[in-house]
Amino acid sequence: MQIQTDRVAWFEGGDAVCNTQPMVARAWRLILLGPPGVGKGTQAELLCAATRSCHLSTGDVFRAAKGLPECRRSPAIMAAQDAMGRGELVSDETVVEMVRERARCIRCGGGFLLDGFPRTVAQAGALDGMLENESVRLDAVLSYEMPIEEIVGRLSGRRSCPGCKAVYHLTGRPPKQEGLCDHCGTALIQREDDRPESIRVRMAAYEENTRPLADYYRSRGLLIPVSAAGTPDQILQRSLSLLGVPKAAI
């Protein structure tokens, strides 16, 4: 039986220690890549359950830090929050230091799945140094791929409730009454980020920033492209097959 870690060490960093540890026969150490709308978040959850590895998302760290008292926020976390508050990108140096503060998670015997890090070749090089210091080897980098027109169709169909924040999709999860939230009856809206023109801009930025990173891992024989077509379970089984995870371990 799997024992789920509470990820305290990842959320808080420093000397924090998780109260529970996962029990694994084989520790997997993976990185996930994929553009917005490709379903990477869902796959991260499914992969962690299947491989019994720990989901290490930098986005989770930023969200968790908001609930910490200022005295428990590290200089790296403070610098990251300041940058985001100004609408700026968090620098490579700050992100790397934030992950370095959580080196305990990198060397955890339960394995890990990194989501949101690295985002640049500079961050990937720094991660290589951390892994070497901890005598840990990266197994693979899964890159989820989908034609841009399918991503545009998937994201542009989303509708959000400005009242209770519920999310719908025109074809995948439509509201019971067209244009109205099932829960509170508020008129649904299409977020600016979900408009086709905005999505194409985001995809272009992702492609520009991520292609060098994909090339970096491809040159090292670690990149595994994965088609993101199909249901979440179909994509999961495709991922596990490409990794060579034996069925008995799932």
Side-chain angles (χ1 to χ4, degrees):
M1 178 184 295
Q2 180 186 3
I3 299 176
Q4 293 284 355
T5 178
D6 53 19
R7 295 191 294 167
V8 171
W10 180 247
F11 290 141
E12 299 187 9
D15 296 328
V17 180
C18 295
N19 294 319
T20 56
Q21 296 295 327
M23 298 175 64
V24 298
R26 199 271 201 214
W28 288 89
R29 297 178 174 93
L30 307 169
I31 291 173
L32 291 196
L33 299 179
V38 82
K40 183 164 62 74
T42 298
Q43 289 308 304
E45 294 179 8
L46 295 175
L47 275 167
C48 284
T51 62
R52 297 175 172 82
S53 54
C54 194
H55 186 196
L56 305 183
S57 164
T58 50
D60 285 347
V61 172
F62 292 137
R63 285 185 285 272
K66 294 178 181 178
L68 291 175
E70 190 168 321
C71 63
R72 292 175 59 191
R73 301 179 195 179
S74 70
I77 288 293
M78 295 287 284
Q81 290 179 318
D82 287 345
M84 290 186 293
R86 296 191 298 270
E88 301 173 357
L89 292 175
V90 181
S91 70
D92 285 343
E93 294 79 6
T94 297
V95 176
V96 167
E97 182 57 31
M98 187 192 77
V99 175
R100 186 174 286 117
E101 293 171 350
R102 291 155 176 77
R104 185 188 301 273
C105 299
I106 299 296
R107 62 176 176 267
C108 175
F112 60 76
L113 189 155
L114 278 168
D115 179 7
F117 178 86
R119 287 186 181 273
T120 67
V121 173
Q123 291 179 15
L127 175 61
D128 286 344
M130 290 184 226
L131 295 173
E132 184 176 355
N133 289 340
E134 301 296 340
S135 299
V136 170
R137 181 180 63 85
L138 190 64
D139 290 301
V141 178
L142 296 175
S143 179
Y144 290 99
E145 301 180 351
M146 177 179 285
I148 186 170
E149 292 306 320
E150 292 186 33
I151 294 177
V152 171
R154 180 179 291 189
L155 292 181
S156 63
R158 289 198 303 201
R159 296 294 184 270
S160 304
C161 175
C164 67
K165 311 302 180 185
V167 178
Y168 300 86
H169 192 278
L170 295 182
T171 57
R173 190 191 171 204
K176 295 176 182 177
Q177 185 174 350
E178 184 177 354
L180 297 178
C181 178
D182 294 347
H183 306 291
C184 63
T186 302
L188 301 177
I189 62 170
Q190 183 180 41
R191 297 187 316 165
E192 184 63 36
D193 282 352
D194 290 337
R195 298 185 184 280
E197 57 273 22
S198 298
I199 296 168
R200 293 182 189 281
V201 171
R202 290 162 61 196
M203 291 303 104
Y206 176 85
E207 177 71 13
E208 180 181 354
N209 294 329
T210 305
R211 181 165 294 281
L213 184 61
D215 290 343
Y216 175 85
Y217 283 119
R218 185 180 293 108
S219 69
R220 300 184 58 209
L222 291 170
L223 190 75
I224 300 179
V226 183
S227 168
T231 66
D233 187 62
Q234 289 173 333
I235 301 168
L236 171 66
Q237 296 305 320
R238 190 176 300 137
S239 301
L240 295 173
S241 177
L242 289 168
L243 284 172
V245 177
K247 290 186 178 181
I250 300 174

